[in-house]
Amino acid sequence: MMKQLIIAAIAAAALCSCGTTSHPLYSWYDSQDATYQYTKKATDADLNRAMAQYELVINKQNGTRMTVPPGMNAEYGFLLCKAGKKDEGIALLKEEMRLYPESEKFISRIIKQLTK
């Protein structure tokens, strides 16, 4: 009887753990699709849509980490620089390095090229 109770408890625990849903680390919203559309067509409308999605991801994080995903500040910062908003773009590139120090070697090269 005790053996059956233990087996039933293990089975119940296993079934309960299957029903939980994990919350994603980051909120991406529609940024992947917007980025794809922009790189595919490169129209002003697609650029504006991608930039709006980046702003949403950066300013409204609901993921479990509650921080901007890796690369998001860098991508948006680079687009801002391309759009003529160099100061804002470089500030976001620097924010990327602050949040993700491992990106410093790569991002610092981008900043150096943009400030020549």
Side-chain angles (χ1 to χ4, degrees):
M1 184 67 164
M2 184 64 139
K3 188 176 180 181
Q4 291 173 337
L5 280 173
I6 292 173
I7 292 173
I10 291 172
L15 289 175
C16 289
S17 67
C18 292
T20 61
T21 58
S22 63
H23 195 66
L25 291 177
Y26 307 103
S27 300
W28 294 95
Y29 300 100
D30 197 25
S31 62
Q32 289 114 340
D33 184 55
T35 302
Y36 173 75
Q37 292 302 323
Y38 171 67
T39 55
K40 184 177 171 185
K41 299 176 189 171
T43 66
D44 287 340
D46 290 319
L47 173 61
N48 291 334
R49 180 172 174 248
M51 291 174 83
Q53 287 301 313
Y54 288 143
E55 281 185 38
L56 180 64
V57 171
I58 290 169
N59 296 321
K60 199 170 184 182
Q61 264 308 304
N62 294 320
T64 54
R65 293 220 40 227
M66 297 301 287
T67 190
V68 179
M72 190 59 60
N73 282 315
E75 287 182 38
Y76 186 40
F78 187 73
L79 283 182
L80 285 171
C81 288
K82 284 179 65 175
K85 299 178 180 180
K86 197 181 224 179
D87 292 338
E88 290 177 58
I90 290 175
L92 282 173
L93 289 165
K94 288 179 179 179
E95 179 66 6
E96 180 74 24
M97 290 190 301
R98 186 187 70 76
L99 289 173
Y100 300 101
E102 65 274 13
S103 70
E104 183 177 354
K105 192 174 237 182
F106 179 69
I107 300 297
S108 62
R109 287 182 186 165
I110 294 172
I111 291 172
K112 187 176 180 180
Q113 289 178 349
L114 290 170
T115 56
K116 281 185 179 181

